[in-house]
């Protein structure tokens, strides 16, 4: 495999335009200064407690998600195209969700096989015919983008997946920026970097814009599974930044199909719930009976139109890996436009001809489970052992419909501090797209980096780190 | 404010105040035990302390005898004793963690630091010569915790429920500390007014940081009646029952929820009784009897706070 596209250095070793000013700063800055700044960042993250808490035997121990001080820099023209593409894509995904829970035009037109939608476990029968404000389902979308080589053509951005359920990580985007400004204020003076700090304002505006019609001052809350959830820091952080209440299931109750929170001044009505609990656990009366996290009766209040859930119930059907390959078709169908952002070519293992090809080329491909997430139910052919490949082969032959395959993308790299010094590591990008009355986003997003040499898995649960993401304004 | 948030804030403050007062109570018992008079029975004062804390059964089940070393360990570091200083600090930190968004980051960071140090002390143990230093540390961390809240927190319901927890716990604890003396002296009533008595009351005053205040207020020798008056009835003595109930009563008026009628009435009643009380009446009735009844009423009010603000079921 040839060397991956590097964000800072062109193939001939010269520094790319967007990194020119940063590279000269880095070269003129003492190694000791950098080492000292890296320690400072570590200490600050610990003190503030931007950590995964460890409980039980290790009470008091807390783990950091590694933060790298070399920023990922995106030139203005690149971001403009990405932003246009994201708007178009998320608009189509919301239109698709509305359509399949109502008239199912796209299925009737035969543009997506009905079986793949209606027979999918992520399709929520309970949502059929339910109207939601502004016809918006995915109020917060975290779309994973990668830049990769594309055969003989120059490297380009691809959408890897659309996260439309409860995408996380935005607190790291905000904290990373805060940390960079604190460590290297001089860098912000010599670059025109688009700000991201107003994300909580955009989020609150977005959530308020999808309250039921006629509510003058909607009461918005953030619903968390609780303080033992690994993303609890983010839930508390977003609630605090928006100035709204952080609640768990016990703080809410439903009476007359209306949701209330228990306060010291008596029950107070809740209009919009930014929930960070999965569909299955939202309401033990409607979904999983054994859920201790949810609110009994919440779904009935939702169906009655008395509360908005963000994201809506049933969005999992639109970001399922079995549906992913149809998103370009959705864009053509609902927007009447050609997709701006590319999908990664995908083979469906349910199709005999695709399966035959994939089984013959397993060692070169990435195989993904269609309902998996978090990088676990996945085979990365080129780095897998013979046993792992054999194990996946058996699983595919047994249940081919459960898998898709894609070429192994050589994700772009960015220089990153590792033990041996600065070295290229693979990265991706997760922008957060907010949909309500309008579509809004802050420039950039969260850049994740695979810290292990050669690794393509950037998930924090698999040892990934993060970087600040700079979108240049000129 | 969310009921659950108010609940966490109230217990955060109570737990930290309890850690401080447990340190104070251990301190006074330790000082008294050093003033060896006629030995009534071995470990008498330590037994007394356990009994007024209501923890003697748990202690007896797990320790051979109430020696200073055993009781100190049980009350300071024992992770199985829900009332130990270790657990009080743990509870304070857990409650704060649950409502990080409602307190200032400085409050959280200081309390987190306290817990991390407590964790270390617990692992290392406390040497005999480090006991006083440990008590001082606990008091300092409690002062710091209260001070940061005072200096940084918005004067809203979060602040009020924190203060409510502080003064409820303090009222309870001052009454118990005062009662220690009763339990310790009981077998030797004949000694009332003797030299040992003077030193014991002196130790008690010092444990609640009231020795200098006593001198300023009374400019006279230490007598049990005046000590009791200072710690029960003086509104200007910050750990007295009256001072605590003044605060509680004021906070109740400020919080004033739609269901708080009965709670306000009963707090007001207790407050009025203290405001217009006389030490002669209290002694005529019996100090121990008076304090026992006070503790019972505080306990009932605590229950009423729970049902009024924290656990109310409205559906």
């Amino acid at each position: 495999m040839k060397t991956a596209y590097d964000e800072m250095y062109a193939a001939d070793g010269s520094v790319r335009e967007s990194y020119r000013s940063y590279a000269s700063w880095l070269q003129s800055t003492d190694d000791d200064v950098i080492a000292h700044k890296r320690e400072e960042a570590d200490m600050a993250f610990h003190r503030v407690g931007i950590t995964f808490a460890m409980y039980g035997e290790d009470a008091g121990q807390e783990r950091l998600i590694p933060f790298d001080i070399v920023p990922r820099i995106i030139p203005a023209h690149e971001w403009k195209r990405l932003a246009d593409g994201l708007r178009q894509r998320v608009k189509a995904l919301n239109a698709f969700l509305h359509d399949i829970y109502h008239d199912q035009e796209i299925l009737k037109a035969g543009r997506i096989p009905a079986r793949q939608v209606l027979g999918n476990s992520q399709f929520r029968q309970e949502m059929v015919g339910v109207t939601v404000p502004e016809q918006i389902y995915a109020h917060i979308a975290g779309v994973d983008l990668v830049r990769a080589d594309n055969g003989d053509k120059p490297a380009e951005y691809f959408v890897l997946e659309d996260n439309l359920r409860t995408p996380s990580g935005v607190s790291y985007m905000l904290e990373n920026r805060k940390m960079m400004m604190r460590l290297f204020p001089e860098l912000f003076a010599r670059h025109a970097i688009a700000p991201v700090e107003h994300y909580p304002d955009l989020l609150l505006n977005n959530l308020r814009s999808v309250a039921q019609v006629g509510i003058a001052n909607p009461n918005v809350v953030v619903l968390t599974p609780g303080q033992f959830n690994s993303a609890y820091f983010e839930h508390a952080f977003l609630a605090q930044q928006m100035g709204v209440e952080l609640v768990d299931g016990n703080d809410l109750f439903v009476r007359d199909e209306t949701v209330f929170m228990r306060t010291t001044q008596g029950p107070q009505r809740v209009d919009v719930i930014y929930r960070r609990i999965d569909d299955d656990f939202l309401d033990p009366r409607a979904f999983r009976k054994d859920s201790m996290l949810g609110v009994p009766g919440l779904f009935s209040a939702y169906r009655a139109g008395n509360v908005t859930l963000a994201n809506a119930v049933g969005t999992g059907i639109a970001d399922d890996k079995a549906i992913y390959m149809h998103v370009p078709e959705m864009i053509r169908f609902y927007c009447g436009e050609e997709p701006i952002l590319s999908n990664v070519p995908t083979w469906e293992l349910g199709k005999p001809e695709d399966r035959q090809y994939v089984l013959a080329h397993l060692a070169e491909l990435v195989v993904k489970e269609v309902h998996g997430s978090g990088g676990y139910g996945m085979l990365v052919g080129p780095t897998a052992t013979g046993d792992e490949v054999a194990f996946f082969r058996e699983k595919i032959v047994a249940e081919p419909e459960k898998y898709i395959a894609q070429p192994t993308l050589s994700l772009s790299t960015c220089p990153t501090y590792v033990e041996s010094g600065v070295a290229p590591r693979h990265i991706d990008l997760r922008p957060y797209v907010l949909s309500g009355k309008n579509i809004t986003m802050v420039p950039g997003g969260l850049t994740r980096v695979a810290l292990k040499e050669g690794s393509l898995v950037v998930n924090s649960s698999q040892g990934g780190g993060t970087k600040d993401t700079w979108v240049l304004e000129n | 404010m969310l009921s659950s948030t108010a609940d966490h804030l109230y217990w955060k403050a109570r737990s930290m105040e309890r850690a401080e007062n447990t340190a104070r109570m251990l301190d006074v018992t330790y000082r008294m035990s050093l003033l060896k008079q006629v030995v009534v029975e071995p470990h008498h004062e330590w037994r007394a302390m356990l009994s007024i804390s209501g923890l003697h059964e748990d202690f007896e089940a797990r320790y051979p005898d109430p020696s200073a070393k055993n009781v100190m360990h049980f009350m300071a570091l024992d992770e199985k004793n829900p009332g130990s200083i270790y657990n009080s600090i743990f509870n304070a930190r857990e409650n704060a963690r649950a409502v990080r968004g409602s307190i200032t980051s400085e409050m959280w960071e200081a309390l987190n630091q306290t817990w991390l140090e407590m964790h270390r002390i617990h692992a290392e143990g406390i040497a005999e010569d480090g006991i006083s230093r440990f008590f001082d540390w606990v008091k300092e961390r409690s002062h710091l915790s209260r001070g940061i809240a005072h200096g940084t927190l918005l004067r809203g319901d979060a602040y009020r429920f924190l203060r409510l927890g502080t003064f409820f716990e303090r009222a309870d604890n001052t009454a118990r500390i005062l009662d220690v003396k009763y339990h310790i002296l009981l077998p030797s009533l004949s000694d009332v007014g003797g030299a040992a008595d003077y030193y014991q009351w002196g130790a008690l005053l010092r444990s609640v940081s009231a020795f200098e205040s006593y001198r300023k207020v009374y400019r006279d020798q230490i007598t049990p009646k005046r000590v009791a008056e200072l710690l029960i009835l003086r509104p200007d003595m910050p750990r007295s029952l009256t001072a605590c109930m003044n605060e509680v009563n004021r906070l109740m008026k400020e919080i004033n929820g739609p269901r708080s009628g009965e709670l306000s009435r009963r707090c007001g009643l207790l407050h009025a009784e203290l405001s217009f009380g006389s030490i002669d009446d209290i002694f005529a009735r019996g100090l121990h009897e008076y304090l026992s009844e006070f503790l019972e009423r505080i306990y009932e009010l605590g229950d009423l706070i729970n049902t009024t603000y924290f656990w109310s079921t409205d559906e």
Side-chain angles (χ1 to χ4, degrees):
Chain A
M1 201 190 296
K2 64 173 182 162
T3 338
Y5 180 95
D6 191 86
E7 301 284 342
M8 191 180 320
Y9 297 107
D12 63 6
S14 64
V15 176
R16 291 184 198 280
E17 175 65 34
S18 53
Y19 268 97
R20 213 152 277 168
S21 166
Y22 180 80
S24 76
W25 173 87
L26 188 60
Q27 198 156 30
S28 65
T29 305
D30 221 35
D31 286 353
D32 291 352
V33 173
I34 300 277
H36 177 72
K37 296 282 187 183
R38 291 182 66 210
E39 272 172 36
E40 195 182 328
D42 241 36
M43 269 165 50
F45 275 125
H46 262 298
R47 193 175 55 237
V48 181
I50 305 173
T51 52
F52 273 141
M54 309 276 279
Y55 266 75
E57 282 176 34
D58 288 327
Q61 302 272 322
E62 280 162 354
R63 192 164 63 86
L64 288 180
I65 294 186
F67 165 70
D68 184 66
I69 59 158
V70 182
R72 186 255 187 83
I73 303 178
I74 302 174
H77 67 275
E78 262 179 31
W79 174 251
K80 189 188 171 305
R81 198 179 142 269
L82 288 180
D84 290 344
L86 290 165
R87 261 189 214 101
Q88 178 196 53
R89 190 170 176 105
V90 171
K91 198 172 144 194
L93 286 163
N94 273 308
F96 170 72
L97 283 161
H98 175 75
D99 185 26
I100 56 156
Y101 288 125
H102 291 84
D103 300 331
Q104 305 184 341
E105 301 287 356
I106 197 165
L107 306 183
K108 287 177 194 156
R111 306 282 280 271
I112 296 178
R115 170 185 56 83
Q116 280 192 5
V117 174
L118 305 179
N120 192 308
S121 65
Q122 296 296 313
F123 181 77
R124 289 274 175 197
Q125 199 60 50
E126 301 92 332
M127 283 299 290
V128 172
V130 176
T131 41
V132 298
E134 306 291 332
Q135 301 186 1
I136 295 294
Y137 289 74
H139 307 87
I140 298 101
V143 181
D144 289 345
L145 299 172
V146 296
R147 194 204 302 252
D149 290 314
N150 183 14
D152 299 330
K153 287 184 274 174
E156 65 164 312
Y157 284 100
F158 290 96
V159 175
L160 205 54
E161 52 189 55
D162 305 286
N163 294 288
L164 307 178
R165 298 172 218 194
T166 54
S168 64
V170 76
S171 58
Y172 296 101
M173 172 187 88
L174 295 167
E175 288 294 341
N176 289 353
R177 173 59 55 86
K178 207 153 86 186
M179 186 60 69
M180 285 297 274
M181 293 185 83
R182 173 172 162 165
L183 296 177
F184 307 109
E186 69 274 24
L187 281 174
F188 288 81
R190 58 194 281 175
H191 291 85
I193 301 164
V196 297
E197 295 86 337
H198 56 299
Y199 178 83
D201 277 354
L202 292 183
L203 178 60
L204 182 60
N205 280 341
N206 192 59
L207 292 168
R208 289 169 64 103
S209 81
V210 290
Q212 310 84 305
V213 181
I215 293 177
N217 191 14
N219 182 20
V220 177
V221 300
V222 177
L223 175 62
T224 173
Q227 55 167 317
F228 298 104
N229 185 276
S230 62
Y232 177 75
F233 165 74
E234 177 159 308
H235 308 159
F237 174 86
L238 289 174
Q240 188 182 27
Q241 294 294 307
M242 289 192 286
V244 305
E245 294 288 358
L246 175 69
V247 301
D248 66 25
N250 293 320
D251 292 315
L252 302 180
F253 68 92
V254 176
R255 185 173 62 202
D256 302 331
E257 298 192 326
T258 306
V259 183
F260 295 91
M261 60 184 190
R262 300 173 215 274
T263 81
T264 54
Q265 302 292 318
Q268 190 185 336
R269 187 174 163 162
V270 172
D271 305 300
V272 180
I273 302 177
Y274 176 26
R275 49 88 172 216
R276 297 292 294 259
I277 296 182
D278 293 341
D279 286 358
D280 278 343
F281 297 96
L282 269 182
D283 177 355
R285 283 193 207 144
F287 307 112
R288 273 180 67 153
K289 306 276 176 282
D290 60 345
S291 170
M292 306 293 285
L293 306 173
V295 185
L298 178 58
F299 192 66
S300 70
Y302 182 57
R303 281 191 67 119
N306 292 333
V307 69
T308 303
L309 293 175
N311 290 351
V313 172
T315 54
I317 185 61
D319 70 5
D320 187 69
K321 292 187 176 70
I323 298 299
Y324 163 83
M325 71 198 75
H326 302 297
V327 177
E329 197 56 25
M330 290 176 199
I331 294 170
R332 293 183 196 103
F333 186 76
Y334 298 112
C335 308
E337 295 165 3
E338 274 306 303
I340 299 170
L341 296 173
S342 307
N343 253 28
V344 181
T346 303
W347 292 278
E348 295 176 68
L349 297 192
K351 287 186 183 163
E353 65 278 16
D354 281 14
R355 183 161 68 242
Q356 200 181 357
Y357 174 82
V358 170
L359 287 175
H361 296 85
L362 266 187
E364 301 154 30
L365 303 175
V366 175
V367 180
K368 295 175 176 175
E369 216 175 308
V370 289
H371 303 308
S373 66
Y376 289 109
M378 191 165 147
L379 172 78
V380 182
T383 60
T385 63
D387 283 354
E388 283 165 348
V389 173
F391 175 69
F392 255 80
R393 183 184 301 277
E394 269 177 48
K395 295 213 296 187
I396 292 165
V397 173
E399 293 179 284
E401 302 247 338
K402 274 181 69 178
Y403 299 91
I404 57 159
Q406 293 170 338
T408 308
L409 296 178
S410 181
L411 308 193
S412 65
T413 56
C414 183
T416 300
Y417 274 89
V418 293
E419 264 178 45
S420 56
V422 181
R425 289 292 180 267
H426 295 291
I427 56 171
D428 80 347
L429 175 66
R430 176 178 285 185
Y432 297 87
V433 184
L434 303 174
S435 304
K437 272 207 164 54
N438 303 297
I439 296 181
T440 50
M441 62 190 107
V442 297
L446 177 67
T447 294
R448 297 183 298 178
V449 53
L451 294 172
K452 255 199 321 205
E453 189 174 359
S455 170
L456 295 169
V457 185
V458 295
N459 303 55
S460 58
S461 54
Q462 308 268 302
T466 65
K467 286 170 171 289
D468 191 17
T469 309
W470 296 359
V471 170
L472 300 181
E473 290 191 304
N474 49 22
Chain B
M1 153 163 293
L2 281 179
S3 296
S4 60
T5 304
D7 192 4
H8 284 301
L9 291 168
Y10 173 81
W11 282 106
K12 182 238 156 225
R14 277 199 81 152
S15 302
M16 201 62 217
E17 185 71 23
R18 183 171 299 178
E20 176 185 338
N21 284 295
T22 304
R24 289 179 180 280
M25 193 131 60
L26 284 170
D27 196 24
V28 67
T29 312
Y30 185 61
R31 285 170 195 251
M32 285 186 186
S33 76
L34 297 177
L35 303 168
K36 282 291 173 223
Q37 37 173 322
V38 189
V39 177
V40 184
E41 54 176 307
H43 313 314
H44 173 61
E45 56 286 317
W46 294 106
R47 215 183 295 276
M49 169 173 174
L50 288 169
S51 109
I52 65 151
S53 307
L55 296 164
H56 52 286
E57 282 179 18
D58 181 26
F59 179 86
E60 280 156 18
R62 293 193 290 117
Y63 289 80
D65 59 73
S67 65
K69 191 162 169 276
N70 283 341
V71 179
M72 285 281 192
H73 182 268
F74 176 72
M75 293 302 293
L77 300 181
D78 192 335
E79 72 265 38
K80 290 196 194 119
N81 170 13
S84 67
I85 292 173
Y86 173 85
N87 272 323
S88 295
I89 291 177
F90 175 77
N91 291 334
R93 193 251 191 182
E94 285 306 280
N95 277 295
R97 192 175 118 80
V99 292
R100 273 182 66 168
S102 305
I103 57 178
T104 59
S105 47
E106 282 157 75
M107 288 173 67
W108 160 252
E109 285 171 30
L111 186 51
N112 196 31
Q113 186 66 31
T114 304
W115 162 243
L116 293 174
E117 281 171 42
M118 182 70 241
H119 196 63
R120 183 183 55 75
I121 293 168
H122 179 254
E124 289 170 4
I126 305 170
E128 175 109 34
D129 63 354
I131 288 174
S132 294
R133 209 166 48 230
F134 175 69
F135 293 149
D136 287 346
W137 175 78
V138 175
K139 282 189 272 181
E140 267 172 35
R141 297 309 294 189
S142 176
H143 291 322
L144 182 65
S145 179
R146 229 173 12 249
I148 298 178
H150 185 79
T152 63
L153 191 61
L154 188 74
R155 295 304 191 259
D157 275 347
Y159 187 71
R160 294 186 191 111
F161 277 102
L162 277 175
R163 301 284 286 178
L164 194 61
T166 301
F167 289 106
F168 246 86
E169 187 65 25
R170 187 178 294 173
D172 177 287
N173 286 256
T174 297
R176 284 181 203 271
I177 287 176
L178 204 45
D179 214 20
V180 172
K181 183 66 173 91
Y182 166 83
H183 281 267
I184 290 175
L185 260 193
L186 190 60
S188 57
L189 269 173
S190 57
D191 192 40
V192 172
D197 203 36
Y198 165 83
Y199 284 109
Q200 291 194 337
W201 285 107
L204 191 149
L205 283 172
R206 284 200 174 85
S207 82
V208 289
S209 311
F211 191 82
E212 290 94 343
S213 304
Y214 184 96
R215 289 299 192 205
K216 280 206 180 71
V217 170
Y218 296 103
R219 300 174 185 280
D220 203 346
Q221 74 180 107
I222 295 174
T223 68
K225 211 180 227 180
R226 286 187 189 135
V227 173
E229 184 182 62
L230 184 70
L231 296 185
I232 296 174
L233 296 175
R234 290 288 302 203
D236 49 359
M237 175 64 217
R239 308 194 82 83
S240 77
L241 305 189
T242 300
C244 293
M245 287 314 293
N246 272 345
E247 285 288 338
V248 166
N249 203 44
R250 196 172 52 76
L251 290 163
M252 284 296 170
K253 284 188 189 128
E254 287 175 14
I255 295 168
N256 193 30
R259 293 174 304 248
S260 60
E262 178 61 9
L263 179 59
S264 297
R265 190 185 72 77
R266 282 163 66 173
C267 279
L269 190 60
L270 184 54
H271 174 244
E273 285 174 21
L274 281 164
S275 304
F276 298 102
S278 95
I279 199 64
D280 290 329
D281 289 353
I282 291 172
F283 268 60
R285 213 179 129 202
L287 181 59
H288 173 63
E289 286 69 22
Y290 176 84
L291 292 172
S292 301
E293 195 208 292
F294 178 83
L295 284 170
E296 204 166 300
R297 287 173 74 177
I298 280 284
Y299 184 82
E300 284 167 11
L301 282 173
D303 253 5
L304 203 52
I305 288 181
N306 278 336
T307 50
T308 305
Y309 289 119
F310 307 152
W311 300 345
S312 56
T313 45
D314 298 288
E315 56 273 55

